[in-house]
């Protein structure tokens, strides 16, 4: 049986590590993407999201984000088989050493208080991508759950410009459709969606329309299909529902621009057989049987690796 390399663009491990009783290096029920589970799934690249509940005030959010960054340095980046990646040169070094690449992203910009200075400081700490919102509204934009459906604010536009200047990726996940359109109108470079599926397959506010998926592809961006069951289908989702979304993205031309962002440790409705990072091993074999080894390799790893080599600073 071949050991496929895997890249995963979104897990919520760091949020759980705020509980000091939970340890990243230990196997147990508390973490779906623990170090042993990631190793069992042959995950070679993992993006760790920085997420705090948006109902908290901005000062509390920033405090918790810094706490999560500290947990990343103290429990994840210090592991000998793991290396923090901030640049393309870091990524090349990881591959030469056979380590797992660990990357930080920010899920929701409420902690910025609308200030690009805070973004610059988070970038200095190693954050390499950002989604402007979670489901709610903040100083930057409306999330997909905000009923008024506003787009980017003036502060949000300034943050997008700074993300581009810093070579940080712009993540469309959780953003309201109006904000997505604003980003696509004011930028011309690659964008990505770390954990979202196809709305044409399952009507859900967190999924992307065909027009947006085509634009991601046209810009040489990337999208990660996610394993949250409620984004996949009505009722009990299965691995076959993941394939339905994947098939659709492939028909839109996404052969080189789609992969996976599991949302492990952040899902509310897990998919049987796709509930932990270790389950990637079985998924990889199913992908190879269904799509052939060459395409499976691109979907599991190469497409995101190529995106990182385009997006990360030198």
């Amino acid at each position: 049986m071949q050991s496929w390399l895997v890249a995963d663009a979104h897990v919520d491990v760091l949020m759980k590590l705020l509980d000091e009783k939970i340890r990243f290096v230990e196997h147990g029920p508390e973490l779906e993407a623990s170090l042993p589970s990631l190793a069992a799934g042959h995950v070679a690249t993992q993006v760790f999201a920085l997420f705090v509940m948006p109902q908290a005030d901005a000062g509390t959010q920033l405090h918790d984000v810094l706490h999560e960054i500290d947990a990343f340095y103290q429990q994840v980046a210090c592991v000998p088989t793991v290396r923090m990646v901030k640049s393309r040169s870091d990524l090349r070094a990881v591959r030469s050493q056979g380590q797992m690449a660990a990357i930080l992203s920010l899920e929701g910009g409420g902690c910025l208080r609308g200030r690009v200075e805070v973004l610059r400081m988070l970038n200095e700490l190693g954050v390499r991508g950002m989604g402007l919102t979670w489901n709610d509204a903040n100083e930057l934009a409306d999330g997909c759950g905000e009923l008024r459906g506003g787009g980017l604010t003036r502060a949000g536009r300034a943050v997008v410009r700074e993300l581009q200047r810093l070579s940080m990726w712009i993540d469309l996940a959780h953003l309201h459709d109006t904000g997505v359109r604003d980003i696509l109108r004011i930028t011309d470079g690659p964008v990505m969606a770390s954990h979202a599926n196809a709305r044409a397959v399952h009507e859900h506010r967190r999924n992307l329309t065909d027009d947006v998926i085509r634009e991601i592809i046209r810009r040489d961006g990337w999208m990660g299909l996610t394993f949250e069951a409620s984004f996949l289908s009505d009722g009990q989702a299965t691995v076959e529902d993941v394939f339905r979304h994947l098939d659709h993205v492939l028909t839109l031309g996404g052969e080189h621009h789609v992969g996976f962002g599991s949302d492990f440790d952040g899902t509310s409705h897990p998919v049987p057989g796709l509930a932990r990072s270790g389950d990637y091993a079985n998924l990889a074999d199913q992908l190879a049987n269904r799509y052939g080894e060459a395409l499976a390799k691109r979907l599991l790893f190469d497409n995101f690796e190529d995106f990182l080599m385009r997006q990360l600073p030198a």
Side-chain angles (χ1 to χ4, degrees), residues 138-215:
N138 59 30
E139 296 91 343
L140 308 181
D142 282 1
C144 62
E146 175 56 57
L147 295 179
R148 68 183 172 183
L152 269 60
T153 64
R154 182 177 301 173
R157 291 168 183 264
V159 164
V160 167
R161 289 193 294 270
E162 191 67 7
L163 287 167
Q164 291 185 295
R165 190 188 72 81
L166 293 168
S167 293
M168 295 174 66
W169 68 68
I170 301 168
D171 189 349
L172 303 180
H174 287 286
L175 193 60
H176 193 279
D177 288 350
T178 308
V180 172
R181 288 194 293 270
D182 283 349
I183 286 178
L184 297 179
R185 185 164 50 245
I186 68 174
T187 67
D188 56 8
V191 292
M192 63 96 83
S194 60
H195 56 308
N197 297 325
R199 198 177 298 178
V201 177
H202 180 56
E203 183 75 24
H204 192 287
R205 67 189 188 188
R206 278 280 285 105
N207 290 339
L208 304 179
T209 66
D210 283 359
D211 286 346
V212 171
I213 295 172
R214 289 191 187 97
E215 187 64 14

Side-chain angles (χ1 to χ4, degrees), residues 201-278:
V201 177
H202 180 56
E203 183 75 24
H204 192 287
R205 67 189 188 188
R206 278 280 285 105
N207 290 339
L208 304 179
T209 66
D210 283 359
D211 286 346
V212 171
I213 295 172
R214 289 191 187 97
E215 187 64 14
I216 289 173
I217 294 167
R218 188 189 72 80
R219 292 171 178 238
D220 221 5
W222 184 88
M223 70 176 289
L225 300 180
T226 191
F227 307 147
E228 163 60 42
S230 64
F231 300 173
L232 290 165
S233 70
D234 292 322
Q236 180 59 65
T238 68
V239 176
E240 282 299 319
D241 291 302
V242 177
F243 293 149
R244 289 195 304 124
H245 286 265
L246 178 53
D247 287 341
H248 184 74
V249 176
L250 292 175
T251 66
L252 298 176
E255 180 177 341
H256 295 279
H257 301 91
V258 63
F260 301 101
S262 65
D263 205 15
F264 290 140
D265 290 301
T267 57
S268 302
H269 308 89
V271 176
L274 266 181
R276 306 178 69 83
S277 296

Side-chain angles (χ1 to χ4, degrees), residues 27-40:
H27 177 74
E30 298 87 3
L31 286 182
E32 297 161 3
S34 64
L35 181 64
S37 190
L38 289 163

Side-chain angles (χ1 to χ4, degrees), residues 14-26:
L14 300 180
M15 173 179 64
K16 290 187 174 180
L17 292 185
L18 295 185
D19 182 341
E20 295 181 357
K21 297 187 294 294
I22 298 176
R23 307 297 298 172
F24 173 65
V25 297
E26 296 175 359

Side-chain angles (χ1 to χ4, degrees), residues 83-102:
R83 177 167 177 159
M84 185 180 190
V85 165
K86 300 180 182 180
S87 65
R88 296 195 298 272
S89 61
D90 287 343
L91 192 59
R92 286 188 287 267
V94 163
R95 299 304 167 224
S96 68
Q97 296 297 318
Q99 297 166 297
M100 185 184 80

